[in-house]
Amino acid sequence: METFADYILGEKDYSKKMEIAYYLQKKAGIFFDNSVILKTEIARLFIETMKIDVDENLVITACLLYACKKNFVAYDMEKIKRYAIEGAEYLATLGFSKKFCKICSEVNRYSEDEEREKEGDILELVDNFGGLVLDRPERKGYPIDEAMNLLENRNLKGNNNRYLEQFKKFIYLKEGVAA
């Protein structure tokens, strides 16, 4: 019997994959809004532009679903620390592999994993960057250059993200600015 995981991972068309996630949001109440679409598009463009050697389908699907249990205000640290892990646990019930769920939980550094998946590093970058450039109820989105500075020198300071330098080049390339 086909699981939801098989169904969405088997869909290779990007638009249809987003539509599947949208309908899951309607049926199961998962978190899915324009920020999810923006972050997924950033990930897709990053992988394609910089020719990152990862399974693009896996990353795109993870981008669409990793925040499925996100439903909190930005200053509730306990919920911030738990949403990715709770999301990964939920995704496991839909038939996703342990590796996929691990990737989704690695969007932030609150999981216990020491050996991070490369796809998790991509999720971490797009989640942080997208969160910085988007407007929130408590603040306006940061300009690209300021967001990149905060990403590197605050959000990821002291953390080893294997794609940070490539991501910086990608953002500045897309912005038409020298890194």
Side-chain angles (χ1 to χ4, degrees):
M1 183 171 143
E2 184 178 57
T3 65
F4 176 78
D6 296 329
Y7 177 60
I8 195 167
L9 285 168
E11 179 56 66
K12 302 302 183 202
D13 182 273
Y14 180 59
S15 315
K16 289 180 182 175
K17 191 179 286 284
M18 269 198 276
E19 192 174 323
I20 293 167
Y22 170 77
Y23 284 113
L24 182 63
Q25 185 258 342
K26 292 293 182 198
K27 184 169 175 65
I30 68 164
F31 180 82
F32 185 82
D33 68 1
N34 289 339
S35 70
V36 174
I37 295 167
L38 173 71
K39 292 172 185 180
T40 303
E41 183 64 8
I42 292 169
R44 185 185 68 78
L45 288 170
F46 174 57
I47 292 166
E48 290 176 2
T49 302
M50 303 308 285
K51 299 178 181 11
I52 306 296
D53 184 25
V54 293
D55 180 341
E56 184 176 349
N57 182 47
L58 187 72
V59 175
I60 296 304
T61 306
C63 278
L64 290 170
L65 298 174
Y66 76 84
C68 63
K69 290 299 176 180
K70 185 177 184 177
N71 63 351
F72 55 83
V73 285
Y75 52 82
D76 187 340
M77 279 310 292
E78 268 318 298
K79 288 186 178 182
I80 289 171
K81 289 179 179 180
R82 293 273 321 141
Y83 87 90
I85 295 166
E86 289 171 358
E89 291 167 354
Y90 173 72
L91 293 170
T93 69
L94 299 178
F96 287 97
S97 69
K98 284 184 179 186
K99 179 180 178 179
F100 183 89
C101 295
K102 181 178 184 285
I103 289 165
C104 290
S105 73
E106 290 176 342
V107 69
N108 57 40
R109 298 281 171 152
Y110 298 118
S111 64
E112 302 289 320
D113 296 329
E114 294 206 15
E115 185 74 28
R116 292 176 56 84
E117 301 290 335
K118 55 188 178 178
E119 297 87 355
D121 278 356
I122 293 172
L123 289 185
E124 178 180 51
L125 288 168
V126 299
D127 182 65
N128 274 277
F129 181 75
L132 290 167
V133 298
L134 289 170
D135 290 345
R136 292 186 173 184
E138 71 276 9
R139 66 155 172 81
K140 287 285 213 189
Y142 294 102
I144 300 294
D145 58 339
E146 193 173 344
M148 287 307 298
N149 185 37
L150 288 169
L151 176 69
E152 183 176 18
N153 297 307
R154 184 189 71 187
N155 293 21
L156 295 181
K157 186 176 183 171
N159 293 319
N160 179 28
N161 185 300
R162 75 192 87 204
Y163 297 114
L164 178 59
E165 291 305 315
Q166 285 176 283
F167 191 74
K168 285 172 27 185
K169 288 177 186 170
F170 161 73
I171 293 297
Y172 292 127
L173 174 71
K174 290 296 180 189
E175 283 295 298
V177 177

